[in-house]
Amino acid sequence: MITIITTAFVWLVSIAEAIILSVMSFFAVILMLWTFTMAGISADENGQQLYCETSKTGVENCFMREWSIVD
């Protein structure tokens, strides 16, 4: 009897794990597609990115510059 209960529990846990991993994979793919789309929209053909900064007076200044990891 204990074997049947243990087997059923393992089976239910594996089904729950498969469902959770499927949902997480779906959201990961959506996030990846969104990231690639936004990178394509904000970059030009020279590999520069659009940066916008707000000055102390509240004016937003946008310009193109090359992406750097140290920024």
Side-chain angles (χ1 to χ4, degrees):
M1 183 69 177
I2 270 299
T3 319
I4 295 172
I5 294 172
T6 304
T7 305
F9 180 74
V10 169
W11 186 70
L12 289 174
V13 168
S14 66
I15 289 175
E17 182 183 12
I19 291 170
I20 290 170
L21 288 176
S22 297
V23 170
M24 289 175 63
S25 297
F26 174 76
F27 284 118
V29 168
I30 296 299
L31 179 63
M32 183 180 64
L33 291 174
W34 181 81
T35 303
F36 289 153
T37 302
M38 298 321 298
I41 289 172
S42 64
D44 69 357
E45 64 275 0
N46 296 325
Q48 294 184 336
Q49 298 286 328
L50 179 63
Y51 285 89
C52 294
E53 298 174 346
T54 305
S55 67
K56 293 178 183 175
T57 59
V59 178
E60 189 174 45
N61 184 20
C62 295
F63 54 93
M64 299 296 286
R65 72 176 183 192
E66 196 166 325
W67 183 85
S68 173
I69 198 165
V70 294
D71 284 340

